[in-house]
């Protein structure tokens, strides 16, 4: 069980915060940065992040058009062969994306019942938003939506200590 | 009507959970803010109203996150708003209750606008506005026109800021103020535009 990285986007897709945790994800990012597949002038790692935001955005639209009644949370996670992106979107348009390995449970409703008393990724994201983001960033006097240097707040420190306390952090 | 009841309950529930400040201190602090503004802007009343709206706006954009976060933490369900009526109810019954401990009523609901009626205004306790100065000749007055002052205009900004964060561009106006002798405090909220979700310039350029 591993947490690879965390991205936070605002409503318009601007990256407000990004941090890579696991060594394997750091390695992948370094490889990506060096291989330089993207067009000149743009950073491949940024490109990748944009891709992720774009995918989450379109998937949400898709899910919305497939759901007859709009009740219930729409998109929860995207799973591939080797890793999962857990996502949480607030009504204000803030979007959190947490990359983990596949064995991290998304939420209570996922079929894998053996995790009944585990901590679920969506609850973690919800907690990051309610208890860390709002406390550290929104309440910062420098905050104005979309324009804040998150690095200058205590957000990162609080986030690190919270994430590393999780049973599935490493 | 059970839905409206649950909104009221949610508001009460959240009010019970938030830390409270002394209401008299709050009102007096706000009063001194107003006097400071009057001094700073040289009794230019329209400008003071503008500044109050701006202050409120900055409060509003933070309030909304606070409201969502608090409701997540305390497991209070805020119903998702599909119609303007629901939005108005949430502003009146949850927003005002959670941050100010008062609730207000929704009225004059149309497709594009609604009015909020505040029967009690925690900002304006102890407040009495000065009378307009009357000139020596009895007709023309000099000095600021106090009837123009929207003492609690900060509410308008708060509502505007908060709703903008949930994709509603609104315009707010204080149309009735008990300080000016009206029967009830009335805030008129008019929806100008529903902002479309979508990737913005930052996404394209970054």
């Amino acid at each position: 069980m591993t947490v690879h990285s965390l991205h936070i986007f605002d409503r318009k897709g601007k990256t407000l915060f990004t941090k890579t945790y696991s060594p394997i994800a750091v390695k992948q990012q370094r490889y990506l940065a060096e291989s330089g597949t993207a067009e000149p002038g743009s950073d491949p790692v940024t490109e990748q992040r944009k891709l992720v935001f774009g995918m989450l955005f379109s998937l949400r639209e898709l899910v919305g058009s497939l759901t007859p009644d709009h009740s219930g949370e729409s998109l929860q996670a995207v799973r591939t062969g080797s890793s999962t992106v857990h996502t949480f979107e607030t009504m204000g348009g803030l979007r959190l994306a947490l990359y983990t390995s596949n064995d991290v449970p998304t939420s209570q409703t996922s079929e894998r019942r053996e995790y009944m008393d585990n901590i679920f990724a969506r609850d973690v994201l919800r907690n990051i938003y309610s208890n860390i983001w709002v406390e550290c960033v929104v309440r910062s006097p420098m905050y104005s939506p979309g324009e804040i240097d998150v690095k200058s707040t205590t957000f990162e420190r609080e986030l690190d200590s919270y994430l590393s306390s999780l049973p599935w952090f490493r | 009507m059970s839905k409206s009841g649950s909104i009221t309950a949610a508001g009460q529930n959240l009010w019970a959970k938030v830390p409270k400040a002394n209401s008299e201190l709050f009102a007096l602090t706000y009063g001194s803010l107003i006097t400071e503004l009057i001094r700073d802007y040289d009794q230019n009343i329209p400008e003071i109203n503008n500044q109050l709206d701006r202050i409120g706006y900055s409060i509003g954009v933070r309030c909304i996150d606070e409201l969502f976060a608090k409701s997540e933490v305390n497991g209070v369900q805020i119903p998702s708003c599909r119609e303007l009526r629901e939005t108005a109810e949430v502003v009146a019954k949850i927003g005002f209750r959670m941050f100010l401990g008062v609730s207000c009523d929704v009225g004059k609901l149309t497709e594009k606008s609604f009015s909020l009626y505040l029967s009690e205004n925690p900002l304006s306790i102890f407040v009495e506005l000065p009378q307009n100065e009357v000139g020596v000749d009895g007709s023309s007055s000099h000095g600021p026109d106090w009837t123009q002052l929207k003492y609690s205009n900060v509410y308008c900004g708060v509502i505007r800021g908060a709703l903008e964060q949930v994709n509603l561009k609104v315009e707010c106006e204080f149309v009735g103020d008990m300080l000016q002798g009206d029967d009830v405090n009335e805030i008129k909220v008019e929806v100008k535009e529903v902002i479309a979700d979508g990737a913005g310039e930052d996404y394209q350029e970054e």
Side-chain angles (χ1 to χ4, degrees):
Chain A
M1 294 195 180
T2 324
V3 172
H4 291 312
S5 52
L6 175 79
H7 302 316
I8 298 177
F9 305 104
D10 75 355
R11 184 207 302 282
K12 306 250 190 239
K14 188 175 167 196
T15 310
L16 299 175
F17 178 83
T18 173
K19 183 156 187 181
T20 312
Y21 287 94
S22 70
I24 184 163
V26 172
K27 212 170 118 194
Q28 185 221 13
Q29 288 219 327
R30 196 174 308 136
Y31 173 73
L32 197 70
E34 278 164 11
S35 63
T37 41
E39 302 153 30
S42 68
D43 166 25
V45 182
T46 320
E47 284 297 310
Q48 189 200 37
R49 237 179 6 240
K50 268 160 96 169
L51 217 55
V52 170
F53 174 81
M55 177 197 70
L56 292 178
F57 183 83
S58 324
L59 265 181
R60 213 242 350 227
E61 298 279 288
L62 175 74
V63 169
S65 67
L66 290 178
T67 321
D69 62 338
H70 290 264
S71 63
E73 309 240 18
S74 42
L75 186 62
Q76 299 200 336
V78 180
R79 178 180 295 246
T80 69
S82 64
S83 64
T84 307
V85 183
H86 306 274
T87 167
F88 176 72
E89 196 196 345
T90 71
M91 276 189 265
L94 195 78
R95 207 182 293 253
L96 294 92
L98 182 74
Y99 297 32
T100 65
S101 56
N102 266 348
D103 44 11
V104 173
T106 303
S107 67
Q108 197 83 56
T109 50
S110 64
E111 310 111 61
R112 313 187 62 161
R113 309 300 290 187
E114 68 258 40
Y115 290 120
M116 276 310 277
D117 43 27
N118 209 324
I119 299 173
F120 299 97
R122 277 184 67 82
D123 297 333
V124 166
L125 287 174
R126 197 169 286 146
N127 191 34
I128 291 175
Y129 168 66
S130 312
N131 289 334
I132 310 181
W133 180 263
V134 172
E135 296 288 327
C136 299
V137 180
V138 177
R139 287 192 181 171
S140 154
M142 308 297 287
Y143 174 80
S144 102
E147 293 167 29
I148 183 171
D149 183 13
V150 177
K151 291 269 179 206
S152 65
T153 64
T154 50
F155 177 71
E156 189 168 352
R157 205 174 61 214
E158 299 281 322
L159 179 72
D160 287 355
S161 74
Y162 172 63
L163 280 181
S164 50
S165 73
L166 293 174
W168 35 260
F169 180 66
R170 287 267 180 249
Chain B
M1 272 339 264
S2 71
K3 189 155 187 184
S4 154
S6 78
I7 292 178
T8 314
Q12 238 119 22
N13 200 342
L14 281 172
W15 167 245
K17 299 272 166 55
V18 293
K20 322 245 184 330
N22 183 302
S23 68
E24 295 176 5
L25 177 72
F26 179 63
L28 291 172
T29 314
Y30 187 74
S32 57
L33 173 78
I34 302 277
T35 26
E36 195 59 46
L37 279 175
I38 292 174
R39 215 170 297 144
D40 283 356
Y41 286 93
D42 209 17
Q43 311 198 332
N44 178 352
I45 304 281
E47 188 53 31
I48 293 166
N49 291 340
N50 270 345
Q51 292 299 325
L52 281 175
D53 186 74
R54 261 193 55 206
I55 294 170
Y57 178 81
S58 306
I59 299 176
V61 294
R62 292 164 172 78
C63 272
I64 191 90
D65 268 323
E66 184 83 25
L67 193 148
F68 289 148
K70 280 276 161 17
S71 60
E72 292 279 3
V73 172
N74 298 310
V76 176
Q77 194 73 41
I78 295 182
S80 53
C81 309
R82 259 173 290 288
E83 297 167 29
L84 191 61
R85 187 179 57 80
E86 290 170 308
T87 313
E89 290 278 334
V90 171
V91 172
K93 300 283 190 306
I94 299 184
F96 273 83
R97 170 63 74 182
M98 175 179 164
F99 291 106
L100 294 165
V102 299
S103 88
C104 48
D105 296 308
V106 179
K108 284 196 196 151
L109 192 81
T110 68
E111 256 174 45
K112 284 273 168 221
S113 69
F114 58 88
S115 281
L116 296 170
Y117 297 99
L118 277 130
S119 42
E120 43 182 334
N121 180 355
L123 292 180
S124 67
I125 50 175
F126 312 133
V127 177
E128 207 173 297
L129 294 180
Q131 296 289 316
N132 279 354
E133 282 174 47
V134 181
V136 206
D137 51 358
S139 59
S140 69
S141 66
H142 46 92
D145 183 7
W146 295 108
T147 55
Q148 294 295 308
L149 178 67
K150 294 178 179 132
Y151 186 84
S152 310
N153 210 28
V154 74
Y155 288 146
C156 296
V158 172
I159 296 170
R160 189 165 66 87
L163 288 181
E164 195 176 291
Q165 291 298 298
V166 289
N167 279 358
L168 275 180
K169 214 175 194 77
V170 297
E171 255 172 39
C172 289
E173 204 189 347
F174 235 90
V175 288
D177 192 340
M178 276 150 93
L179 289 175
Q180 306 282 10
D182 294 312
D183 294 335
V184 69
N185 297 307
E186 181 183 346
I187 303 172
K188 186 167 194 268
V189 182
E190 203 169 330
V191 179
K192 286 289 163 205
E193 188 190 348
V194 180
I195 307 164
D197 243 338
E201 281 167 16
D202 286 329
Y203 172 68
Q204 308 294 346
E205 282 168 9
E206 194 191 4

PDB file of all heavy atoms in Angstrom, chain A residues 157-169:
ATOM      1  N   ARG A 157       2.963  21.056   5.721  1.00  0.00           N
ATOM      2  CA  ARG A 157       3.414  20.379   6.934  1.00  0.00           C
ATOM      3  C   ARG A 157       2.297  19.546   7.550  1.00  0.00           C
ATOM      4  O   ARG A 157       2.475  18.381   7.886  1.00  0.00           O
ATOM      5  CB  ARG A 157       3.926  21.418   7.932  1.00  0.00           C
ATOM      6  CG  ARG A 157       4.931  20.850   8.895  1.00  0.00           C
ATOM      7  CD  ARG A 157       5.517  21.925   9.777  1.00  0.00           C
ATOM      8  NE  ARG A 157       4.496  22.569  10.566  1.00  0.00           N
ATOM      9  CZ  ARG A 157       4.518  23.863  10.908  1.00  0.00           C
ATOM     10  NH1 ARG A 157       5.497  24.632  10.490  1.00  0.00           N
ATOM     11  NH2 ARG A 157       3.568  24.377  11.638  1.00  0.00           N
ATOM     12  N   GLU A 158       1.124  20.177   7.657  1.00  0.00           N
ATOM     13  CA  GLU A 158      -0.020  19.471   8.232  1.00  0.00           C
ATOM     14  C   GLU A 158      -0.386  18.253   7.387  1.00  0.00           C
ATOM     15  O   GLU A 158      -0.689  17.183   7.909  1.00  0.00           O
ATOM     16  CB  GLU A 158      -1.234  20.394   8.304  1.00  0.00           C
ATOM     17  CG  GLU A 158      -1.042  21.608   9.172  1.00  0.00           C
ATOM     18  CD  GLU A 158      -1.187  21.277  10.641  1.00  0.00           C
ATOM     19  OE1 GLU A 158      -2.071  20.455  10.960  1.00  0.00           O
ATOM     20  OE2 GLU A 158      -0.421  21.816  11.455  1.00  0.00           O
ATOM     21  N   LEU A 159      -0.355  18.469   6.064  1.00  0.00           N
ATOM     22  CA  LEU A 159      -0.709  17.397   5.148  1.00  0.00           C
ATOM     23  C   LEU A 159       0.253  16.230   5.301  1.00  0.00           C
ATOM     24  O   LEU A 159      -0.156  15.072   5.399  1.00  0.00           O
ATOM     25  CB  LEU A 159      -0.672  17.923   3.716  1.00  0.00           C
ATOM     26  CG  LEU A 159      -0.989  16.916   2.631  1.00  0.00           C
ATOM     27  CD1 LEU A 159      -2.465  16.590   2.652  1.00  0.00           C
ATOM     28  CD2 LEU A 159      -0.577  17.426   1.278  1.00  0.00           C
ATOM     29  N   ASP A 160       1.554  16.524   5.335  1.00  0.00           N
ATOM     30  CA  ASP A 160       2.555  15.471   5.457  1.00  0.00           C
ATOM     31  C   ASP A 160       2.357  14.676   6.730  1.00  0.00           C
ATOM     32  O   ASP A 160       2.399  13.450   6.727  1.00  0.00           O
ATOM     33  CB  ASP A 160       3.959  16.073   5.446  1.00  0.00           C
ATOM     34  CG  ASP A 160       4.338  16.551   4.060  1.00  0.00           C
ATOM     35  OD1 ASP A 160       3.540  16.310   3.134  1.00  0.00           O
ATOM     36  OD2 ASP A 160       5.402  17.167   3.912  1.00  0.00           O
ATOM     37  N   SER A 161       2.099  15.383   7.818  1.00  0.00           N
ATOM     38  CA  SER A 161       1.997  14.631   9.070  1.00  0.00           C
ATOM     39  C   SER A 161       0.714  13.814   9.074  1.00  0.00           C
ATOM     40  O   SER A 161       0.673  12.721   9.628  1.00  0.00           O
ATOM     41  CB  SER A 161       2.085  15.564  10.281  1.00  0.00           C
ATOM     42  OG  SER A 161       0.898  16.276  10.410  1.00  0.00           O
ATOM     43  N   TYR A 162      -0.332  14.344   8.424  1.00  0.00           N
ATOM     44  CA  TYR A 162      -1.574  13.558   8.374  1.00  0.00           C
ATOM     45  C   TYR A 162      -1.411  12.336   7.487  1.00  0.00           C
ATOM     46  O   TYR A 162      -1.742  11.224   7.882  1.00  0.00           O
ATOM     47  CB  TYR A 162      -2.730  14.424   7.887  1.00  0.00           C
ATOM     48  CG  TYR A 162      -3.994  13.656   7.630  1.00  0.00           C
ATOM     49  CD1 TYR A 162      -4.646  12.998   8.678  1.00  0.00           C
ATOM     50  CD2 TYR A 162      -4.524  13.546   6.354  1.00  0.00           C
ATOM     51  CE1 TYR A 162      -5.798  12.273   8.448  1.00  0.00           C
ATOM     52  CE2 TYR A 162      -5.675  12.822   6.120  1.00  0.00           C
ATOM     53  CZ  TYR A 162      -6.309  12.186   7.165  1.00  0.00           C
ATOM     54  OH  TYR A 162      -7.444  11.460   6.935  1.00  0.00           O
ATOM     55  N   LEU A 163      -0.855  12.551   6.289  1.00  0.00           N
ATOM     56  CA  LEU A 163      -0.728  11.434   5.358  1.00  0.00           C
ATOM     57  C   LEU A 163       0.187  10.344   5.908  1.00  0.00           C
ATOM     58  O   LEU A 163      -0.093   9.164   5.783  1.00  0.00           O
ATOM     59  CB  LEU A 163      -0.198  11.922   4.004  1.00  0.00           C
ATOM     60  CG  LEU A 163      -1.212  12.565   3.061  1.00  0.00           C
ATOM     61  CD1 LEU A 163      -0.540  12.963   1.765  1.00  0.00           C
ATOM     62  CD2 LEU A 163      -2.371  11.620   2.766  1.00  0.00           C
ATOM     63  N   SER A 164       1.287  10.766   6.532  1.00  0.00           N
ATOM     64  CA  SER A 164       2.209   9.734   7.004  1.00  0.00           C
ATOM     65  C   SER A 164       1.661   8.983   8.209  1.00  0.00           C
ATOM     66  O   SER A 164       2.175   7.929   8.571  1.00  0.00           O
ATOM     67  CB  SER A 164       3.580  10.339   7.313  1.00  0.00           C
ATOM     68  OG  SER A 164       3.420  11.464   8.121  1.00  0.00           O
ATOM     69  N   SER A 165       0.597   9.512   8.807  1.00  0.00           N
ATOM     70  CA  SER A 165      -0.003   8.766   9.914  1.00  0.00           C
ATOM     71  C   SER A 165      -0.977   7.702   9.411  1.00  0.00           C
ATOM     72  O   SER A 165      -1.482   6.899  10.192  1.00  0.00           O
ATOM     73  CB  SER A 165      -0.745   9.733  10.845  1.00  0.00           C
ATOM     74  OG  SER A 165      -1.923  10.164  10.215  1.00  0.00           O
ATOM     75  N   LEU A 166      -1.257   7.710   8.115  1.00  0.00           N
ATOM     76  CA  LEU A 166      -2.220   6.738   7.590  1.00  0.00           C
ATOM     77  C   LEU A 166      -1.608   5.342   7.542  1.00  0.00           C
ATOM     78  O   LEU A 166      -0.423   5.196   7.263  1.00  0.00           O
ATOM     79  CB  LEU A 166      -2.635   7.139   6.167  1.00  0.00           C
ATOM     80  CG  LEU A 166      -3.431   8.418   6.050  1.00  0.00           C
ATOM     81  CD1 LEU A 166      -3.632   8.765   4.584  1.00  0.00           C
ATOM     82  CD2 LEU A 166      -4.768   8.270   6.737  1.00  0.00           C
ATOM     83  N   PRO A 167      -2.441   4.326   7.787  1.00  0.00           N
ATOM     84  CA  PRO A 167      -1.894   2.966   7.784  1.00  0.00           C
ATOM     85  C   PRO A 167      -1.364   2.555   6.417  1.00  0.00           C
ATOM     86  O   PRO A 167      -0.454   1.737   6.326  1.00  0.00           O
ATOM     87  CB  PRO A 167      -3.086   2.099   8.188  1.00  0.00           C
ATOM     88  CG  PRO A 167      -4.283   2.941   7.949  1.00  0.00           C
ATOM     89  CD  PRO A 167      -3.850   4.348   8.162  1.00  0.00           C
ATOM     90  N   TRP A 168      -1.928   3.136   5.349  1.00  0.00           N
ATOM     91  CA  TRP A 168      -1.463   2.704   4.024  1.00  0.00           C
ATOM     92  C   TRP A 168      -0.554   3.723   3.343  1.00  0.00           C
ATOM     93  O   TRP A 168      -0.446   3.757   2.131  1.00  0.00           O
ATOM     94  CB  TRP A 168      -2.624   2.325   3.121  1.00  0.00           C
ATOM     95  CG  TRP A 168      -3.889   3.102   3.243  1.00  0.00           C
ATOM     96  CD1 TRP A 168      -5.003   2.716   3.918  1.00  0.00           C
ATOM     97  CD2 TRP A 168      -4.204   4.376   2.663  1.00  0.00           C
ATOM     98  NE1 TRP A 168      -5.984   3.663   3.802  1.00  0.00           N
ATOM     99  CE2 TRP A 168      -5.523   4.697   3.039  1.00  0.00           C
ATOM    100  CE3 TRP A 168      -3.503   5.283   1.879  1.00  0.00           C
ATOM    101  CZ2 TRP A 168      -6.146   5.869   2.661  1.00  0.00           C
ATOM    102  CZ3 TRP A 168      -4.126   6.450   1.498  1.00  0.00           C
ATOM    103  CH2 TRP A 168      -5.432   6.737   1.886  1.00  0.00           C
ATOM    104  N   PHE A 169       0.106   4.546   4.135  1.00  0.00           N
ATOM    105  CA  PHE A 169       0.966   5.553   3.496  1.00  0.00           C
ATOM    106  C   PHE A 169       2.152   4.916   2.795  1.00  0.00           C
ATOM    107  O   PHE A 169       2.490   5.265   1.673  1.00  0.00           O
ATOM    108  CB  PHE A 169       1.439   6.576   4.535  1.00  0.00           C
ATOM    109  CG  PHE A 169       2.320   7.644   3.945  1.00  0.00           C
ATOM    110  CD1 PHE A 169       1.805   8.549   3.034  1.00  0.00           C
ATOM    111  CD2 PHE A 169       3.656   7.750   4.294  1.00  0.00           C
ATOM    112  CE1 PHE A 169       2.596   9.539   2.476  1.00  0.00           C
ATOM    113  CE2 PHE A 169       4.456   8.738   3.733  1.00  0.00           C
ATOM    114  CZ  PHE A 169       3.921   9.631   2.827  1.00  0.00           C
TER     115      PHE A 169
END
